[in-house]
Amino acid sequence: MNTAPATLLRSTAELEALGRADGAVRAVVMTMGALHDGHATLIRAARAAAGPEGQVVVTVFVNPLQFGEAADLDRYPRTLDADLAVASAAGADAVFAPSVEEVYPGGEPQVRITAGPMGERLEGASRPGHFDGMLTVVAKLLHLTRPDAAFFGQKDAQQLALVRRMVRDLDFGIDIVGVPTVRDPDGLALSSRNRFLSPEERRTALALPRALFAARDRLVAQQTLHARARTLPERDGRAAALTRLGEARAAADSQAVALARPTVAPSAVLAAARAVLDEAAGEEVPLTLDYVALVDPADFAAVPDDRVSGDVVLAVAARVGDTRLIDNIPLTLGALT
């Protein structure tokens, strides 16, 4: 592994001139800069995958096609010197940081990647055109960097799903690797946008991870409870079985009684998350909810309430002050059945 500072590349010509040994693995991490430990975790994962003889390239490009408002684009932090230091410390060999003119020499591209129905849900509904712009620049950067593997954070779960779908549908022949979300000790998912939060706004923003963890805990607790209840004699009704287990509250809870079956309904998971988010909406610095949804990770369609098993993603987006935040957590329905 190269222990020298990462080489800064500003042009496609410099990128094309970047050599690598025959058979060496090249891994790429795509970012919009303002790197934090979440990005560093991606770079370290890419470094481990590429190995000591391989090569890790980090791209830093604030893509104008992804921004619906010019003000939001202008506000996005640019910290290239600090980004170089973070990338180097995490094990990157090169940082490709082109200008907008370098990436789009003829102006905004007339031909773009379309995200399709998945790109119109959740984040796509809130930010029309965002995913078309994201996929267009990801496709271009994949062609320019020519990696064997590309690493993306699970925090942007819908983006990760769309990139995987694009690579599969269009036969890119590149391995897309998802890396778990990195969180601060208080639970807030690392994001370049967190720097815009005041202390009071950050306290309110903590409702996002609390909501996700509350839903996860509700799911695990109910699945465990129902699994235990099924070990009792069949003659005891489900509610009676819950009571015998010392779960009088659960037995009396109308929702728990309604769910007294071998599975836990998605609506119960969502209800646990919504309770936390609704409370945060009444804070002095309120949380304004955009969406909270339980979706299929393959296409981000809403999970029907009769879904009894399988992997799902609980996703949330909200605005606190002027800052819009997203978060998610993977869950498995029916894990204990």
Side-chain angles (χ1 to χ4, degrees):
M1 181 178 71
N2 181 16
T3 58
T7 301
L8 177 61
L9 311 172
R10 300 308 300 263
S11 69
T12 56
E14 291 173 333
L15 179 61
E16 289 174 0
L18 182 66
R20 58 170 158 169
D22 291 342
V25 172
R26 176 179 284 179
V28 67
V29 176
M30 296 186 188
T31 81
M32 290 205 298
L35 302 189
H36 48 65
D37 196 50
H39 296 108
T41 299
L42 291 173
I43 298 167
R44 289 191 289 267
R47 179 78 270 164
E53 302 303 321
Q55 192 176 73
V56 175
V57 177
V58 176
T59 68
V60 174
F61 179 64
V62 182
N63 179 31
L65 302 187
Q66 293 176 227
F67 291 83
E69 298 180 6
D72 198 22
L73 172 62
D74 293 339
R75 186 181 182 222
Y76 198 88
R78 276 85 165 171
T79 58
L80 183 57
D81 290 341
D83 294 344
L84 279 168
V86 171
S88 297
D93 296 293
V95 172
F96 178 49
S99 66
V100 173
E101 292 74 23
E102 186 73 21
V103 176
Y104 304 124
E108 290 194 1
Q110 296 185 35
V111 177
R112 308 187 187 193
I113 302 289
T114 299
M118 194 195 324
E120 298 172 356
R121 298 170 184 144
L122 299 189
E123 283 300 288
S126 298
R127 305 169 67 186
H130 167 74
F131 285 127
D132 292 355
M134 179 275 294
L135 290 178
T136 298
V137 78
V138 167
K140 186 154 191 172
L141 289 173
L142 288 176
H143 288 312
L144 289 172
T145 57
R146 297 181 177 87
D148 300 286
F151 289 72
F152 294 85
Q154 178 64 36
K155 176 181 171 291
D156 296 295
Q158 192 171 3
Q159 170 181 277
L160 173 59
L162 280 162
V163 170
R164 281 177 167 157
R165 189 62 185 248
M166 176 185 73
V167 166
R168 186 183 73 185
D169 286 355
L170 301 183
D171 299 315
F172 275 58
I174 296 168
D175 188 20
I176 302 299
V177 182
V179 177
T181 300
V182 179
R183 299 182 180 277
D184 274 328
D186 61 9
L188 194 65
L190 295 189
S191 170
S192 302
R193 297 177 185 272
N194 290 352
R195 68 186 64 198
F196 298 132
L197 297 170
S198 69
E200 295 78 15
E201 290 171 341
R202 186 181 178 98
R203 283 194 289 272
T204 297
L206 291 176
L208 272 71
R210 283 203 310 270
L212 298 178
F213 300 153
R216 177 198 61 194
D217 293 346
R218 176 74 175 267
L219 175 64
V220 171
Q222 287 196 318
Q223 288 185 149
T224 301
L225 180 61
H226 288 296
R228 293 172 62 200
R230 285 194 300 279
T231 67
L232 297 177
E234 287 292 331
R235 67 177 181 274
D236 296 312
R238 187 71 64 194
L242 297 175
T243 302
R244 285 184 57 184
L245 289 169
E247 302 287 352
R249 178 187 175 279
D253 186 329
S254 61
Q255 185 175 46
V257 172
L259 295 173
R261 56 188 184 180
T263 59
V264 179
S267 59
V269 179
L270 280 170
R274 282 190 177 278
V276 176
L277 297 167
D278 288 346
E279 183 178 355
E283 295 288 344
E284 183 176 350
V285 178
L287 178 146
T288 303
L289 183 64
D290 187 346
Y291 62 75
V292 57
L294 199 66
V295 298
D296 189 315
D299 59 7
F300 269 66
V303 172
D305 207 40
D306 59 358
R307 173 85 168 263
V308 299
S309 63
D311 293 334
V312 297
V313 171
L314 179 61
V316 62
R319 188 173 292 276
V320 181
D322 293 329
T323 304
R324 187 175 182 276
L325 301 170
I326 63 172
D327 203 349
N328 71 85
I329 189 171
L331 299 171
T332 302
L333 300 177
L336 300 178
T337 58

